[in-house]
Amino acid sequence: MTATTLLVGPFNRVEGDLEVRLTIAEGRVQAAHVNAPLFRGFEMILAGKDPRDALTLVPRICGICSISQSAAAARALAAAQGLVPSPDGAAMAALIHAVENACDHLTHFHLFFMPDFARPAYAGRGWHGAAVERFAPMSGRAARGAVAARAEVMHILGLMAGKWPHTLAIQPGGVTRTPTARDRVRILASLRAFRGWMERDLFGGRLEDFAALGSVRELMGWTGGDVGLFLRIAADCGLEGLGRGAGRYMSFGAYPLADGPVFAPGLWDGAARALDTGGIVEDLSHAWMLGETAHPARGETRPDEAMAAPGYTWCKAPRLEGTTWETGALARQVVDGHPLAIDLARSGGVLARVAGRLLELARLQGVMERLAEGVRPEARHLVDAPMPAEAVGEGLVEAARGALGHWLRVERGRIASYQIIAPTTWNFSPRDAAGVPGPLEAALEGVPVAEGEAVPVAVQHVVRSFDPCMVCTVH
Amino acid sequence: LNLLWLQAAGCGGCTMSLLCAESPDVLSLFEAAGIHILWHPALSVETGTEAVAILRAVEGGEVDLDVLCVEGSLLRGPGGTGRFQTMAGTGRSMLDWVLSLAPRAGHVVAVGSCAAFGGVTSAGGNPADATGLGWEGAHRGGALPAEFRGRAGLPVINVAGCPTHPDWVTETLMMLASGVLDEGALDGFGRPRFYADHLVHHACPKNEFYEYKASARHLSDQGCLMENLGCVGTQAVGDCNIRPWNGGGSCTRGGYPCIACTAPDFEEPRHPFTETPKVAGIPVGLPSDMPKAWFMALASLSKAATPERIAKNAVSDRIAVPPRLRGPRR
């Protein structure tokens, strides 16, 4: 048995820079090494700045999860200030954040993930004509419809967040713009149009019916819209068993409101349990980073300019309770206890990750509508408190791609340390000191590679099923 | 028009913003304008060796390159190697690729303030040694030499902004496609004048407050953000309030200050972004083209003349006093 090596890059239709090195034997991936080949150094840039400046700088880590970065910074600052945001401000921030996350799911499905099924490699499959018509890059009808629907629902962000990406509207104590009665009905109008498009084109049915599916068997019977097309493709291509995860899921809990988060925080590894972020460390053994394994509150970012082995990426390796955890929409829905998500988690492969995102979209619409209905123009939407000269803060949110944490330390009124662990840092982490591969690396093991495939299409499905955001990963 | 888009060291937000283009959507707009995308990292199907083959064909001159769009700053670190950003699958730095491809391009377009001037990636101590393509901050000459010109004769076109408004990008590309963008259409920092000859202040909804220097004290107050909250919209170029974002927004409409994201060095204002630096209680950095003494004289006059409606609304998070109604004309 001779193993060959395949270097796949630039790995596009992911956000940011990605390279995957595959060791292949007997037509299958034997080992995968994932490289995040871009380092910018935001944590170093933030050091020494006024803590408030994090709100301007950290959204610019990422053009696709910009509001998630804002929200995490706002929460870290609020924790350091000992500030409880105004309940109505928190609800508006949640709505703004939910719009970004919903749009990210659309972008992933239509522009990043589905176009691979329009490839000539699948010509001859019964569904290929439909896949080309709907998802061919740049010309597919579904892709164009999604881009238009996304731009339109983002009017909510224009209205309440000024612009997208890179808003300064989300503050530790709430939001900068107090909604009016007129804003409330405009938001509702945008959301109704968005629902109309989703029910007509994407789901081909009522969102509540999709969100009520309780098992993979029921899911596979859904035939409506582009979701139906995806499920037909998934069944034909065996996406359920492809790229399976380890069955360990983590969520920091999404959309914190005055009475708790909309989607619950926690861990799930066969059963749900509580999450203690005190057990998180970042392992640097296989990253081009100097320093010791540490909790992010005590961590540091010192790039190894020699890029010495065994390092093979700029990405650190976060571990909780000494092991890897998968994070993302599927994890969020599993931890929240949705029966379809839990059934999907039993296979935990490409189908599960993509269907988890669709399930969340269907549920998120109702969440956004309830938040918009509940807008109270008469309420205070922003409160403030001074920043102590010495303080620490942890900011935990759920980005579209999963758990995002910011750890801040303020000394003498300045940022002394700012550490960020992004969702894809978890999912696309390299090996740790024990040699344990990251979630994607593990999921790629065993994936089939056909003879002569320079860019194995099954590998692409697995990689993109995670919806990686590489610019956040290393930051 | 053949267009190649590369993402250097940035956040990808200018592409994400571009996808917010409306009437029509960006994909339909490109198609109708005859803009053919050779490769775009977020949109094209080609990946890995397929993508590298396209880049090599352009580099080798087998495919004509009319426009090279670069999003993100160029990293020279560590130690001048550029290896803080390696183009995946090629073993070559992004810097090396861009230096090789730029001379092949009819036009080179820097999309966003990172590509234009270095931007946020070059903030703080600039750990990755980031620079813009044609400029490093306000100095001519970045990754490319100061005298660089595209094959068609123009310097690097800086569609600056953090992020760029989708229309700034699509309109620049449409002007290039129809051959109407010449050097006179660019300002002193290489920015297209169709948006850079305006100030963010133009059509700012807070203008009535500005007239009286009725200032917000907190971020949710409705008043002008210049005196206390760091807003530099009176100096920042951009038509953000004339042609708003995402259906109707702008930074100041969102209730937070303009930070002049279209300008070189905006990432290092030398004061907290949301706090106006003052000397003896007077803001530094007043409007750039107005004599300071006049400004002060007018400001103190107008402050003294501020109607109660404006004074109260400026420090309220909602309209506390509506405009006075005129009664019947007898």
Side-chain angles (χ1 to χ4, degrees), chain A residues 4-8 20-24 449 453-456, chain B residues 49:
Chain A
T4 55
T5 303
L6 195 57
L7 192 64
V8 186
V20 180
R21 191 170 85 233
L22 303 169
T23 309
I24 297 162
V449 178
E453 264 193 312
V455 197
Chain B
T49 48

Side-chain angles (χ1 to χ4, degrees), chain A residues 7-19:
Chain A
L7 192 64
V8 186
F11 212 119
N12 77 327
R13 274 177 291 115
V14 301
E15 187 58 49
D17 295 45
L18 171 66
E19 180 177 86

Side-chain angles (χ1 to χ4, degrees), chain B residues 216-229:
Chain B
R217 293 172 307 190
H218 307 287
L219 276 171
S220 58
D221 292 349
Q222 294 180 102
C224 178
L225 301 164
M226 185 199 83
E227 187 179 351
N228 300 316
L229 294 165

Side-chain angles (χ1 to χ4, degrees), chain B residues 16-232:
Chain B
M16 283 298 125
S17 180
L18 182 61
L19 289 172
C20 298
E22 290 179 271
S23 306
D25 70 87
V26 65
L27 301 176
S28 303
L29 181 144
F30 279 167
E31 185 179 72
I35 296 168
H36 170 67
I37 297 185
L38 292 171
W39 192 70
H40 185 294
L43 301 175
S44 295
V45 71
E46 295 87 356
T47 208
T49 48
E50 308 156 341
V52 175
I54 295 169
L55 301 180
R56 293 236 162 90
V58 171
E59 192 176 35
E62 296 140 48
V63 173
D64 281 340
L65 179 60
D66 298 304
V67 175
L68 173 66
C69 287
V70 178
E71 178 183 357
S73 58
L74 280 303
L75 303 187
R76 295 167 298 197
T81 64
R83 292 178 73 201
F84 276 139
Q85 187 180 23
T86 304
M87 166 93 82
T90 70
R92 286 167 63 184
S93 67
M94 183 60 77
L95 179 68
D96 186 55
W97 273 106
V98 168
L99 293 181
S100 170
L101 291 169
R104 294 260 168 215
H107 297 287
V108 177
V109 179
V111 181
S113 293
C114 288
F117 308 120
V120 161
T121 314
S122 66
N126 193 1
D129 199 9
T131 181
L133 206 46
W135 295 70
E136 181 162 16
H139 301 282
R140 216 179 272 276
L144 294 167
E147 62 279 8
F148 175 85
R149 301 260 156 173
R151 277 192 295 103
L154 290 186
V156 175
I157 299 160
N158 285 331
V159 187
C162 188
T164 40
H165 191 294
D167 297 354
W168 299 347
V169 177
T170 58
E171 287 165 16
T172 300
L173 294 176
M174 286 192 290
M175 286 179 189
L176 288 175
S178 55
V180 299
L181 196 104
D182 57 18
E183 203 156 352
L186 303 177
D187 81 350
F189 286 128
R191 300 173 295 201
R193 292 177 55 188
F194 69 82
Y195 79 89
D197 277 358
H198 298 282
L199 295 172
V200 173
H201 181 57
H202 299 164
C204 175
K206 296 178 184 292
N207 272 349
E208 194 189 34
F209 296 109
Y210 175 83
E211 285 168 32
Y212 296 96
K213 306 296 167 292
S215 299
R217 293 172 307 190
H218 307 287
L219 276 171
S220 58
D221 292 349
Q222 294 180 102
C224 178
L225 301 164
M226 185 199 83
E227 187 179 351
N228 300 316
L229 294 165
C231 187
V232 287

